[in-house]
Amino acid sequence: MLEDHAKIATVIGQAGVIAGRKKLQKMIYILQKIGFPFYERFQFNFFGPYSDELTMQLEELCNFGFLLEGQAEQDNGMGCRYRLSEAGESFIGHYKELLPDVQVITEKLLQESTSFLELVATILYFDQIPADSMNEKVQALDKPFSDEEIKRARRYISELQADQMLHLPVSK
């Protein structure tokens, strides 16, 4: 029952600190879309893919004492930051085999701004529609993105997918 919680806590533990609920939402969605075993349901909103389930899991992890939530400076002012508590480290120790090592990809995601991850997540959300239609969806986001930013995001997705292939366990 707590396996999904443990995966979220593991990502935060491997990241050290994640500044921002929106950034964390986008990171988990991107990890899910490139093939890591996250099963939260996401719907589209003004800032790209969003999961009520993930929000509830974060609240529960904080309530259990596994995550520490504090204030941090973000791209656009102050917001939440998450880090694993000692109890959280013990908790994820019971679930070591649930999630392949995502630290390399998590570090790559952390280096990007929240708005760029919003763009990447949105492109992934609309990956089944024609590029022209996807570009219209991207332009409808809270922050307009240039064609060059969209091209960069597509290259970034390809890099993440290549990295993912190195970190998923091989099936027997």
Side-chain angles (χ1 to χ4, degrees):
M1 179 172 151
L2 293 175
E3 290 88 0
D4 291 334
H5 291 72
K7 289 185 233 176
I8 303 303
T10 298
V11 168
I12 295 168
Q14 289 179 0
V17 173
I18 297 179
R21 288 183 186 126
K22 191 187 329 180
K23 188 167 200 164
L24 181 55
Q25 285 267 343
K26 302 318 170 216
M27 288 175 66
I28 297 300
Y29 182 75
I30 292 166
L31 288 167
Q32 180 187 84
K33 285 296 284 188
I34 65 171
F36 288 98
F38 291 96
Y39 303 106
E40 290 73 16
R41 288 182 300 273
F42 285 81
Q43 66 274 352
F44 195 74
N45 76 9
F46 295 111
F47 301 104
Y50 170 81
S51 172
D52 288 324
E53 273 182 75
L54 179 54
T55 296
M56 187 177 352
Q57 290 167 334
L58 290 170
E59 288 176 18
E60 290 168 347
L61 285 165
C62 289
N63 290 340
F64 297 152
F66 299 151
L67 283 186
L68 301 173
E69 183 180 42
Q71 290 291 309
E73 196 167 326
Q74 296 176 268
D75 301 343
N76 57 352
M78 294 300 285
C80 288
R81 72 179 187 137
Y82 296 98
R83 66 181 175 87
L84 211 53
S85 67
E86 284 184 36
E89 289 178 25
S90 175
F91 167 65
I92 65 173
H94 299 288
Y95 296 96
K96 288 182 182 180
E97 302 304 316
L98 280 179
L99 186 67
D101 185 3
V102 296
Q103 188 158 4
V104 170
I105 294 174
T106 298
E107 288 173 0
K108 200 175 243 188
L109 292 168
L110 283 171
Q111 291 173 6
E112 299 297 339
S113 70
T114 301
S115 70
F116 182 72
L117 294 182
E118 181 181 326
L119 172 61
V120 169
T122 299
I123 290 171
L124 287 167
Y125 191 86
F126 293 112
D127 63 354
Q128 299 301 313
I129 65 173
D132 291 345
S133 297
M134 187 278 307
N135 286 347
E136 288 176 30
K137 301 286 187 190
V138 167
Q139 296 306 331
L141 291 173
D142 186 50
K143 177 189 182 280
F145 293 96
S146 69
D147 288 340
E148 190 53 44
E149 289 171 307
I150 294 170
K151 286 177 189 171
R152 178 178 172 253
R154 288 183 181 280
R155 286 190 306 270
Y156 185 78
I157 290 167
S158 295
E159 291 170 16
L160 290 176
Q161 289 168 331
D163 287 346
Q164 174 264 4
M165 296 305 290
L166 298 173
H167 293 91
L168 281 180
V170 177
S171 301
K172 293 182 180 181

